[in-house]
PDB file of all heavy atoms in Angstrom:
ATOM      1  N   GLY M 124      77.212  77.004  85.871  1.00 90.00           N
ATOM      2  CA  GLY M 124      77.854  76.949  87.177  1.00 90.00           C
ATOM      3  C   GLY M 124      77.925  78.319  87.828  1.00 90.00           C
ATOM      4  O   GLY M 124      78.279  79.307  87.178  1.00 90.00           O
ATOM      5  N   VAL M 125      77.592  78.393  89.114  1.00 92.00           N
ATOM      6  CA  VAL M 125      77.557  79.679  89.829  1.00 92.00           C
ATOM      7  C   VAL M 125      78.229  79.559  91.196  1.00 92.00           C
ATOM      8  O   VAL M 125      78.461  78.467  91.709  1.00 92.00           O
ATOM      9  CB  VAL M 125      76.106  80.168  90.025  1.00 92.00           C
ATOM     10  CG1 VAL M 125      75.469  80.500  88.689  1.00 92.00           C
ATOM     11  CG2 VAL M 125      75.272  79.138  90.787  1.00 92.00           C
ATOM     12  N   LEU M 126      78.520  80.737  91.762  1.00 94.00           N
ATOM     13  CA  LEU M 126      79.064  80.792  93.119  1.00 94.00           C
ATOM     14  C   LEU M 126      77.967  80.664  94.167  1.00 94.00           C
ATOM     15  O   LEU M 126      78.196  80.159  95.265  1.00 94.00           O
ATOM     16  CB  LEU M 126      79.808  82.109  93.341  1.00 94.00           C
ATOM     17  CG  LEU M 126      81.084  82.337  92.533  1.00 94.00           C
ATOM     18  CD1 LEU M 126      81.612  83.749  92.780  1.00 94.00           C
ATOM     19  CD2 LEU M 126      82.139  81.320  92.901  1.00 94.00           C
ATOM     20  N   GLY M 127      76.790  81.162  93.834  1.00 95.00           N
ATOM     21  CA  GLY M 127      75.697  81.117  94.793  1.00 95.00           C
ATOM     22  C   GLY M 127      74.400  81.569  94.165  1.00 95.00           C
ATOM     23  O   GLY M 127      74.362  81.997  93.014  1.00 95.00           O
ATOM     24  N   LEU M 128      73.343  81.471  94.956  1.00 95.00           N
ATOM     25  CA  LEU M 128      72.021  81.857  94.467  1.00 95.00           C
ATOM     26  C   LEU M 128      71.129  82.242  95.633  1.00 95.00           C
ATOM     27  O   LEU M 128      71.209  81.661  96.723  1.00 95.00           O
ATOM     28  CB  LEU M 128      71.377  80.691  93.710  1.00 95.00           C
ATOM     29  CG  LEU M 128      69.984  80.950  93.118  1.00 95.00           C
ATOM     30  CD1 LEU M 128      70.064  81.943  91.956  1.00 95.00           C
ATOM     31  CD2 LEU M 128      69.334  79.649  92.666  1.00 95.00           C
ATOM     32  N   SER M 129      70.301  83.240  95.398  1.00 95.00           N
ATOM     33  CA  SER M 129      69.232  83.591  96.329  1.00 95.00           C
ATOM     34  C   SER M 129      67.965  83.747  95.507  1.00 95.00           C
ATOM     35  O   SER M 129      68.022  84.141  94.343  1.00 95.00           O
ATOM     36  CB  SER M 129      69.549  84.892  97.073  1.00 95.00           C
ATOM     37  OG  SER M 129      69.723  85.956  96.158  1.00 95.00           O
ATOM     38  N   ILE M 130      66.834  83.425  96.095  1.00 92.00           N
ATOM     39  CA  ILE M 130      65.547  83.540  95.411  1.00 92.00           C
ATOM     40  C   ILE M 130      64.626  84.401  96.262  1.00 92.00           C
ATOM     41  O   ILE M 130      64.392  84.104  97.448  1.00 92.00           O
ATOM     42  CB  ILE M 130      64.905  82.155  95.167  1.00 92.00           C
ATOM     43  CG1 ILE M 130      65.819  81.305  94.275  1.00 92.00           C
ATOM     44  CG2 ILE M 130      63.530  82.308  94.520  1.00 92.00           C
ATOM     45  CD1 ILE M 130      65.322  79.885  94.060  1.00 92.00           C
ATOM     46  N   HIS M 131      64.128  85.476  95.668  1.00 88.00           N
ATOM     47  CA  HIS M 131      63.297  86.426  96.392  1.00 88.00           C
ATOM     48  C   HIS M 131      62.118  85.729  97.074  1.00 88.00           C
ATOM     49  O   HIS M 131      61.432  84.905  96.487  1.00 88.00           O
ATOM     50  CB  HIS M 131      62.766  87.485  95.419  1.00 88.00           C
ATOM     51  CG  HIS M 131      61.790  88.434  96.036  1.00 88.00           C
ATOM     52  ND1 HIS M 131      62.140  89.316  97.029  1.00 88.00           N
ATOM     53  CD2 HIS M 131      60.460  88.620  95.827  1.00 88.00           C
ATOM     54  CE1 HIS M 131      61.083  90.007  97.389  1.00 88.00           C
ATOM     55  NE2 HIS M 131      60.046  89.604  96.678  1.00 88.00           N
ATOM     56  N   GLY M 132      61.921  86.090  98.335  1.00 90.00           N
ATOM     57  CA  GLY M 132      60.770  85.592  99.076  1.00 90.00           C
ATOM     58  C   GLY M 132      60.975  84.270  99.788  1.00 90.00           C
ATOM     59  O   GLY M 132      60.086  83.820 100.508  1.00 90.00           O
ATOM     60  N   THR M 133      62.151  83.641  99.608  1.00 94.00           N
ATOM     61  CA  THR M 133      62.379  82.342 100.253  1.00 94.00           C
ATOM     62  C   THR M 133      63.125  82.465 101.574  1.00 94.00           C
ATOM     63  O   THR M 133      63.127  81.545 102.373  1.00 94.00           O
ATOM     64  CB  THR M 133      63.195  81.418  99.339  1.00 94.00           C
ATOM     65  OG1 THR M 133      64.489  81.998  99.103  1.00 94.00           O
ATOM     66  CG2 THR M 133      62.490  81.199  98.011  1.00 94.00           C
ATOM     67  N   TYR M 134      63.809  83.596 101.800  1.00 95.00           N
ATOM     68  CA  TYR M 134      64.640  83.812 102.986  1.00 95.00           C
ATOM     69  C   TYR M 134      65.717  82.730 103.113  1.00 95.00           C
ATOM     70  O   TYR M 134      66.099  82.338 104.214  1.00 95.00           O
ATOM     71  CB  TYR M 134      63.793  83.873 104.259  1.00 95.00           C
ATOM     72  CG  TYR M 134      62.754  84.966 104.206  1.00 95.00           C
ATOM     73  CD1 TYR M 134      61.409  84.652 104.068  1.00 95.00           C
ATOM     74  CD2 TYR M 134      63.126  86.301 104.256  1.00 95.00           C
ATOM     75  CE1 TYR M 134      60.453  85.663 103.985  1.00 95.00           C
ATOM     76  CE2 TYR M 134      62.181  87.310 104.183  1.00 95.00           C
ATOM     77  CZ  TYR M 134      60.848  86.984 104.042  1.00 95.00           C
ATOM     78  OH  TYR M 134      59.908  87.974 103.956  1.00 95.00           O
ATOM     79  N   ALA M 135      66.163  82.253 101.962  1.00 97.00           N
ATOM     80  CA  ALA M 135      67.192  81.213 101.926  1.00 97.00           C
ATOM     81  C   ALA M 135      68.104  81.445 100.727  1.00 97.00           C
ATOM     82  O   ALA M 135      67.676  81.956  99.686  1.00 97.00           O
ATOM     83  CB  ALA M 135      66.553  79.825 101.842  1.00 97.00           C
ATOM     84  N   CYS M 136      69.364  81.068 100.891  1.00 97.00           N
ATOM     85  CA  CYS M 136      70.315  81.165  99.786  1.00 97.00           C
ATOM     86  C   CYS M 136      71.348  80.053  99.958  1.00 97.00           C
ATOM     87  O   CYS M 136      71.425  79.399 101.004  1.00 97.00           O
ATOM     88  CB  CYS M 136      70.992  82.536  99.746  1.00 97.00           C
ATOM     89  SG  CYS M 136      71.900  82.996 101.234  1.00 97.00           S
ATOM     90  N   VAL M 137      72.135  79.842  98.918  1.00 98.00           N
ATOM     91  CA  VAL M 137      73.181  78.827  98.984  1.00 98.00           C
ATOM     92  C   VAL M 137      74.437  79.404  98.351  1.00 98.00           C
ATOM     93  O   VAL M 137      74.364  80.174  97.389  1.00 98.00           O
ATOM     94  CB  VAL M 137      72.753  77.514  98.272  1.00 98.00           C
ATOM     95  CG1 VAL M 137      72.476  77.746  96.798  1.00 98.00           C
ATOM     96  CG2 VAL M 137      73.798  76.430  98.460  1.00 98.00           C
TER      97      VAL M 137
END
Side-chain angles (χ1 to χ4, degrees):
V125 294
L126 294 174
L128 181 69
S129 59
I130 299 176
H131 174 65
T133 63
Y134 302 108
C136 59
V137 61

